[in-house]
Amino acid sequence: MKILKGRQVKPRRVLLYGQEGVGKSTWAAMAPRPIFLDFEDGLGDIEVEKTERLTTFGDTLSALGWLYSQEHEYKTVVFDTADWFEKLIHDQVCQNANVSNIEKVDGGFGKGYVAASLLWQDFLTKLEALIAARGLNVVFLGHCTRVKVSDPERETYEKYSPDLHKGAASILREWCDEVFFAGYRTFTRAADEGFNKKRQIAVGGDERYIRTTHSAGVQAKNRLNLPAELPMAWSEYQKHWPQAGNIGGVVVDGSSKVKG
């Protein structure tokens, strides 16, 4: 048995989600030699190489098949966006079940979303084969939504989450090496309204940044021991990747016997 030791150099699997207009696609465009899989036709103002708009799950599989089998120089595949791609997964589930709405799959009661989760898992397995064969980084971009969190030790509160069905969001978060939240930095200050009354108003909102770790307000994670926040530039993320000269070797002898 071969035992790997130390940090491994490998393609990254990333989910970047966040507020509208924060620059998610621009961030991904700075990745190594990206090709965008276009699901929502929102890339017209960005200078990137992209597919024509993909409107079916089969279209997406065909695009991955091309990246797997054809000669090209792409190093990163970008899904723009995960939530629009999820619509194609739901459409495929409905097609497989011959129904018009995912709520009607197998009589309802959430079975359509279970089928969608299984399709997500199968699709990610195909992505892993592409990564292994061609060494591509994979970036999922996504919009955000607010979800309520019920905590038995404190009052219910809200946090940002990827705008996906909860089953799909959980699967994708687990699969990715990094889950980042992109937002605008804002502050509040008290404004005097007279008669000893004050109200809080938001200020700032121009600086864009990425949250890399979980907090009460956002779902995020990373496997690179990143700072809690990064400037919104791909280079700031990539400089923390393991480098070829820093990884350990391979231990060939996996024996558990005590050496004499």
Side-chain angles (χ1 to χ4, degrees):
M1 181 173 67
K2 291 184 178 180
I3 300 174
L4 301 178
K5 182 180 180 181
R7 302 177 74 192
Q8 306 301 309
V9 174
K10 63 171 187 170
R12 307 308 299 179
R13 304 181 294 190
V14 189
L15 168 61
L16 175 75
Y17 74 102
Q19 298 166 314
E20 291 185 7
V22 74
K24 299 180 291 292
S25 298
T26 301
W27 180 82
M30 295 183 281
R33 199 67 168 85
I35 175 69
F36 279 68
L37 305 187
D38 188 2
F39 297 101
E40 61 173 74
D41 198 23
L43 295 167
D45 296 322
I46 302 177
E47 188 65 36
V48 295
E49 294 184 56
K50 62 181 179 179
T51 65
E52 60 184 353
R53 186 175 182 182
L54 305 177
T55 58
T56 69
F57 184 71
D59 287 345
T60 311
L61 293 181
S62 295
L64 294 189
W66 187 91
L67 289 168
Y68 185 93
S69 62
Q70 300 300 311
E71 290 302 317
H72 58 79
E73 298 182 353
Y74 298 117
K75 297 181 179 180
T76 306
V77 57
V78 183
F79 286 71
D80 196 0
T81 57
D83 29 305
W84 279 67
F85 171 61
E86 185 182 44
K87 299 177 192 294
L88 306 189
I89 285 186
H90 289 181
D91 288 346
Q92 186 65 45
V93 168
C94 292
Q95 182 179 326
N96 293 346
N98 196 27
V99 297
S100 60
N101 189 297
I102 195 169
E103 300 284 355
K104 299 179 180 179
V105 173
D106 292 336
F109 300 102
K111 294 179 182 177
Y113 296 107
V114 173
S117 293
L118 293 174
L119 192 55
W120 263 107
Q121 291 172 331
D122 181 69
F123 181 78
L124 293 177
T125 298
K126 289 180 171 60
L127 262 185
E128 288 170 2
L130 175 62
I131 294 169
R134 304 306 296 263
L136 290 171
N137 304 298
V138 175
V139 177
F140 282 92
L141 303 179
H143 300 96
C144 66
T145 188
R146 295 182 182 182
V147 296
K148 288 188 176 181
V149 179
S150 297
D151 190 320
E153 295 186 345
R154 53 185 58 85
E155 295 181 0
T156 299
Y157 62 95
E158 288 188 337
K159 73 188 314 177
Y160 284 115
S161 174
D163 192 9
L164 300 166
H165 183 269
K166 61 182 180 181
S170 177
I171 290 168
L172 189 56
R173 288 199 310 268
E174 181 178 353
W175 185 81
C176 287
D177 300 307
E178 279 80 54
V179 177
F180 294 153
F181 173 79
Y184 297 96
R185 193 181 305 282
T186 57
F187 305 92
T188 60
R189 64 176 177 83
D192 192 349
E193 292 189 320
F195 302 101
N196 294 322
K197 292 183 178 181
K198 293 183 180 293
R199 65 184 178 93
Q200 297 293 320
I201 61 173
V203 295
D206 294 328
E207 181 186 354
R208 307 175 190 202
Y209 72 108
I210 289 173
R211 298 277 291 276
T212 70
T213 58
H214 179 82
S215 71
V218 301
Q219 293 178 336
K221 72 169 189 179
N222 75 85
R223 294 171 177 163
L224 295 174
N225 195 29
L226 297 173
E229 295 182 2
L230 288 175
M232 197 154 177
W234 180 275
S235 59
E236 292 293 327
Y237 163 48
Q238 188 169 340
K239 73 182 183 181
H240 293 277
W241 291 8
Q243 301 299 314
N246 297 332
I247 65 172
V250 176
V251 180
V252 177
D253 183 3
S255 172
S256 63
K257 294 181 180 179
V258 177
K259 308 300 182 190

